[in-house]
Amino acid sequence: MAADKQRRVNFSNGQSMPILGLGTWKSEPGKVTNAVKTAIAAGYRHIDCAYCYFNEAEVGAGISAKIDDGTVKREDLFVTSKLFQSYHKLEDVEIGLKKSLDLLELDYLDLFLLHWPLAVKRIGDDEYPRGADGKPLFDDTHFTESWKGMEKLVEKGLVKSIGLSNFTVPQIKEVLALPNKVPIVNLQIEITPYLTQTELLDFCKSKNIIVTAYSPLGSGDRDDAKPSDPVLMEDPNVGELAKKSGKSVAQILIRYHIQQGVACVPKSVTPSRIQDNFESLNFKLSDGDVAKLKALDKNFRYCTYEESWGHPLHPFDGSK
């Protein structure tokens, strides 16, 4: 296996994470287990999932299959999950984690992220209740309370590292201002050439927080996609670079992140694409090519979580 295929990013707590992982958000039900098995067989050692993707049982089945057949040991893998929003109260954080652990059939996670800074209510068995207007019912639990619960998970050995997802610079500063016992090692956010997030990346670098890009290929298949949304995979500038390099458009977009030291977790359930994406580790873009991609920035966000606009802690509320 080529050395670059083992490339990892180092966390401030001494742990490390493979820079390229398999994403599982929006992966088609019934195809996730095979996608995970295919990815591990291809050399992936980083699997990114979340309770709210509603497919962690399939992810776990894929992981178990590759451990059982001797392809990997548990310690060879880096598994990330995220705390669901209705488990933000201090006493509920461990409950939320254990729901993921049970589905994944794992004893611990390598990385557990606070998925969103905003919380929603949990009413009985309803983990995402909605009001008459169809919007989720908000809870006023502050993310600083949730973070204290996340720290306890590390102390108990249930997770090795903790981090954040979809947080802004001011919100990260609030967590950093706590008398933290455990460092923020990772921030997972949407980053593409259309949304370069330069300020956020620079801030994280200054605080030794590794950044992971989700939806690195754009997210045109999401439920709230609009016909007017730009299609990153069809951008002629990216296509030109792909043609010049003899690579796929997806490989160009993935390499764009890797080359900047940003981890990324592209999603696919198609075996050929899973392999194709993994080959992004084996070539380099010129500095000029990276600059051309950065120049495409239009501050366009695919994942807006619009149904929760109005929550005071929403990180990018377009209604304000």
Side-chain angles (χ1 to χ4, degrees):
M1 185 177 290
D4 204 20
K5 290 196 174 187
Q6 300 287 351
R7 181 172 176 188
R8 304 176 76 91
V9 285
N10 296 317
F11 290 159
S12 61
N13 64 353
Q15 302 290 331
S16 66
M17 175 178 74
I19 198 166
L20 180 62
L22 177 73
T24 57
W25 180 42
K26 300 185 277 70
S27 292
E28 299 169 63
K31 297 184 178 181
V32 181
T33 295
N34 191 59
V36 171
K37 289 163 61 177
T38 298
I40 293 174
Y44 287 77
R45 295 296 179 262
H46 175 185
I47 309 295
D48 181 82
C49 47
Y51 183 72
C52 73
Y53 298 169
F54 304 112
N55 56 20
E56 286 191 319
E58 287 192 56
V59 173
I63 291 172
S64 294
K66 300 314 288 180
I67 291 175
D68 291 345
D69 72 10
T71 301
V72 290
K73 297 177 181 177
R74 169 64 185 95
E75 56 266 30
D76 298 328
L77 298 175
F78 189 99
V79 183
T80 300
S81 190
K82 308 171 190 78
L83 181 69
F84 192 54
Q85 293 152 268
S86 56
Y87 292 91
H88 274 213
K89 293 184 184 300
L90 181 63
E91 65 271 20
D92 290 342
V93 173
E94 185 173 333
I95 297 172
L97 166 69
K98 287 186 173 178
K99 281 182 168 288
S100 284
L101 288 177
D102 289 346
L103 291 168
L104 292 165
E105 299 182 68
L106 297 176
D107 297 323
Y108 69 92
L109 290 177
D110 298 276
L111 177 63
F112 196 44
L113 304 177
L114 194 52
H115 205 160
W116 289 91
L118 57 96
V120 298
K121 292 184 181 297
R122 190 170 81 256
I123 302 175
D125 293 332
D126 191 347
E127 297 175 310
Y128 202 76
R130 296 178 183 272
D133 59 359
K135 286 196 169 189
L137 296 177
F138 301 149
D139 185 85
D140 60 4
T141 303
H142 197 273
F143 55 77
T144 51
E145 176 181 332
S146 311
W147 183 258
K148 293 172 185 176
M150 300 279 282
E151 289 187 320
K152 291 180 182 296
L153 303 179
V154 178
E155 294 166 4
K156 290 185 176 183
L158 294 170
V159 302
K160 290 188 174 183
S161 301
I162 52 177
L164 307 170
S165 179
N166 298 303
F167 274 58
T168 63
V169 169
Q171 290 172 333
I172 298 170
K173 286 181 177 179
E174 284 193 69
V175 179
L176 289 172
L178 295 170
N180 291 339
K181 301 174 185 177
V182 182
I184 306 168
V185 300
N186 181 246
L187 173 71
Q188 188 172 130
I189 51 174
E190 179 182 346
I191 313 176
T192 69
Y194 288 169
L195 184 70
T196 55
Q197 301 266 40
T198 302
E199 178 188 356
L200 194 44
L201 283 170
D202 288 346
F203 175 79
C204 286
K205 186 175 182 180
S206 74
K207 300 299 181 183
N208 294 317
I209 298 171
I210 294 295
V211 174
T212 300
Y214 68 71
S215 298
L217 310 181
S219 188
D221 59 346
R222 68 195 190 287
D223 293 338
D224 60 349
K226 299 176 176 63
S228 59
D229 289 349
V231 182
L232 180 59
M233 292 284 285
E234 296 177 5
D235 188 292
N237 298 284
V238 184
E240 181 182 335
L241 286 180
K243 185 177 181 180
K244 182 186 78 171
S245 306
K247 303 297 178 182
S248 70
V249 168
Q251 286 174 330
I252 296 295
L253 293 170
I254 294 167
R255 187 69 209 184
Y256 166 77
H257 297 292
I258 290 171
Q259 209 147 311
Q260 298 179 83
V262 173
C264 66
V265 287
K267 179 268 296 182
S268 182
V269 295
T270 305
S272 60
R273 290 177 182 167
I274 290 171
Q275 180 65 53
D276 187 63
N277 291 347
F278 196 61
E279 295 304 319
S280 303
L281 293 165
N282 290 332
F283 74 97
K284 291 185 177 179
L285 296 168
S286 70
D287 291 344
D289 289 341
V290 173
K292 286 179 182 177
L293 291 169
K294 283 186 177 181
L296 300 178
D297 186 28
K298 53 185 72 181
N299 198 34
F300 178 80
R301 189 183 300 277
Y302 286 100
C303 305
T304 61
Y305 195 17
E306 188 172 340
E307 70 173 11
S308 283
W309 285 1
H311 193 295
L313 296 177
H314 198 299
F316 26 83
D317 189 336
S319 67
K320 294 178 181 178

